[in-house]
Amino acid sequence: MMFPKIDAAVFETPAGVQYLREPGVVMIAMPSVDLSGMDSFLGNFAPELEYQGYLDDPTDLPPAETLCKAAGQLCYMSFGPRRTMNKDAVGYFGNIKESKHGSVLEHANFTFLLYGISRSLTHELVRHRAGFGFSQVSQRYVGGKMLRFVERPEYAAVPALHEVFVHRADRFAREYEAMTTALADLQAAGEAAIMSAEQRTDRRKKVRQAARSLLPNETEAPIIVTANVRSWRHFLEMRASEHAETEIRRLATQVHACLREAAPLLFADYTVKRLPDGTEAVSTPYQKV
Ligand SMILES: Cc1cc2nc3c(=O)[nH]c(=O)nc-3n(C[C@H](O)[C@H](O)[C@H](O)COP(=O)(O)OP(=O)(O)OC[C@H]3O[C@@H](n4cnc5c(N)ncnc54)[C@H](O)[C@@H]3O)c2cc1C
């Protein structure tokens, strides 16, 4: 099974500097669920409760829904054919959201590789704390060969602003290269104690950690992000809202599309709205479950 993803095209300036114009969103992990081991636990309760029937549910749910529903049903020991079976899961998750029993949504995690996004976007993204994990490209370890830029839609739409962007990308790539060379020369000359280091990796790190200071907000900042369903929902409500900044809103609407494909019952309450400026926003009546 292929996980949902939205690829982003890569462009090159005439000088060969790469840039992107939209976020790349690649789901790389989701829950893997097997409830069959619950049989010994469920089988030890009184037969008239019919708990064993829970595991013979003829309706399949996607893994995240299966996991969150089992977690919610454990809270009230509401297993078996006399309680909510999978065919009624839409109503079940409606109740979960309405009653704000959102902790059951914390069991299912989804991980994305996000690229084609700027350093200013990731600065906003990493403000989300509860239930999130981040691994972001280090500008101290990763050098100029992997340097790419992100063009804002406002620039891409206007030829004159696009030209300025392209020149700026070339200039920053050149300046970064020149600065790393100058700092490496300084280091090799042994004239600046602050640049000295024993190990080769540490020497490079000292060069890059200084040279990165000149990189702009529009430098690409790839990141791998894991969050649980409750946290992703809060992220969507904050960042796919029409009040959010345009670049992160575009990312959030794409994340929403991928999450909805993988876990439709957990994200189906969101509606996508086209805004007058041609961009999209996402909203739900079930805020912050
Ligand atoms: C349109 C917009 C404009 C913004 N402008 C600014 C700005 O000008 N300056 C700025 O600094 N930030 C700004 N932010 C960032 C914002 O303040 C939050 O840092 C960010 O949206 C993360 O939200 P959060 O804290 O709710 O999320 P999370 O960190 O994911 O937390 C989720 C929820 O968990 C609870 N929680 C988490 N940590 C704590 C805690 N320590 N104590 C108590 N409860 C906690 C809260 O209920 C919180 O809503 C802006 C965000 C948006 C969407």
Side-chain angles (χ1 to χ4, degrees):
M1 172 198 162
M2 186 87 173
F3 288 2
K5 68 170 183 161
I6 299 170
D7 286 324
V10 178
F11 303 88
E12 269 191 14
T13 69
V17 174
Q18 291 194 334
Y19 65 96
L20 298 93
R21 289 177 150 171
E22 61 195 347
V25 174
V26 185
M27 185 182 284
I28 57 173
M30 67 165 72
S32 171
V33 183
D34 178 3
L35 300 185
S36 63
M38 290 173 72
D39 59 349
S40 44
F41 168 69
L42 294 172
N44 284 330
F45 289 94
E48 62 267 28
L49 292 169
E50 299 178 58
Y51 279 176
Q52 283 285 12
Y54 186 68
L55 301 176
D56 302 324
D57 197 317
T59 309
D60 277 337
L61 291 178
E65 281 89 333
T66 303
L67 178 59
C68 295
K69 182 166 170 282
Q73 293 192 289
L74 181 94
C75 296
Y76 307 114
M77 290 300 284
S78 56
F79 297 111
R82 293 194 291 168
R83 309 303 286 266
T84 307
M85 295 295 275
N86 288 347
K87 69 178 170 46
D88 298 317
V90 171
Y92 182 82
F93 284 114
N95 285 338
I96 291 281
K97 291 167 194 166
E98 186 141 0
S99 62
K100 295 196 180 287
H101 191 184
S103 59
V104 304
L105 305 182
E106 292 173 13
H107 295 284
N109 281 268
F110 287 91
T111 303
F112 289 92
L113 160 69
L114 306 175
Y115 66 98
I117 53 176
S118 70
R119 192 83 173 177
S120 47
L121 184 153
T122 60
H123 191 74
E124 294 187 351
L125 176 58
V126 300
R127 292 294 301 278
H128 291 272
R129 302 156 289 175
F132 274 87
F134 303 101
S135 298
Q136 183 168 16
V137 164
S138 166
Q139 291 181 336
R140 297 179 73 202
Y141 283 89
V142 176
K145 283 196 184 124
M146 279 72 88
L147 189 60
R148 307 198 298 191
F149 297 92
V150 176
E151 183 178 24
R152 289 196 62 90
E154 295 88 338
Y155 305 157
V158 181
L161 296 183
H162 171 68
E163 274 303 296
V164 175
F165 165 78
V166 164
H167 283 118
R168 195 166 56 243
D170 285 344
R171 178 163 56 82
F172 277 117
R174 271 198 318 273
E175 284 187 12
Y176 179 81
E177 189 61 36
M179 184 56 74
T180 54
T181 305
L183 289 165
D185 289 349
L186 188 68
Q187 193 173 56
E191 288 167 7
I194 200 168
M195 296 296 297
S196 64
E198 290 292 317
Q199 304 294 326
R200 189 163 173 255
T201 313
D202 291 335
R203 285 198 296 276
R204 278 198 190 155
K205 199 163 66 179
K206 286 207 160 182
V207 166
R208 287 171 181 157
Q209 73 189 15
R212 70 170 172 177
S213 64
L214 62 78
L215 293 175
N217 270 338
E218 60 197 355
T219 305
E220 188 200 24
I223 191 166
I224 287 186
V225 185
T226 301
N228 65 56
V229 167
R230 192 184 205 183
S231 300
W232 278 123
R233 286 184 58 93
H234 181 62
F235 170 78
L236 296 179
E237 285 143 38
M238 302 296 284
R239 304 303 185 174
S241 132
E242 59 188 289
H243 306 294
E245 186 278 328
T246 312
E247 188 192 2
I248 200 168
R249 176 150 45 82
R250 184 170 189 178
L251 172 79
T253 56
Q254 293 184 189
V255 166
H256 163 257
C258 292
L259 287 170
R260 194 180 183 124
E261 191 179 327
L265 303 191
L266 302 179
F267 294 95
D269 50 307
Y270 290 97
T271 44
V272 181
K273 182 176 156 194
R274 194 112 191 132
L275 300 179
D277 66 1
T279 65
E280 288 183 341
V282 170
S283 63
T284 176
Y286 301 113
Q287 293 273 325
K288 210 168 187 184
V289 301

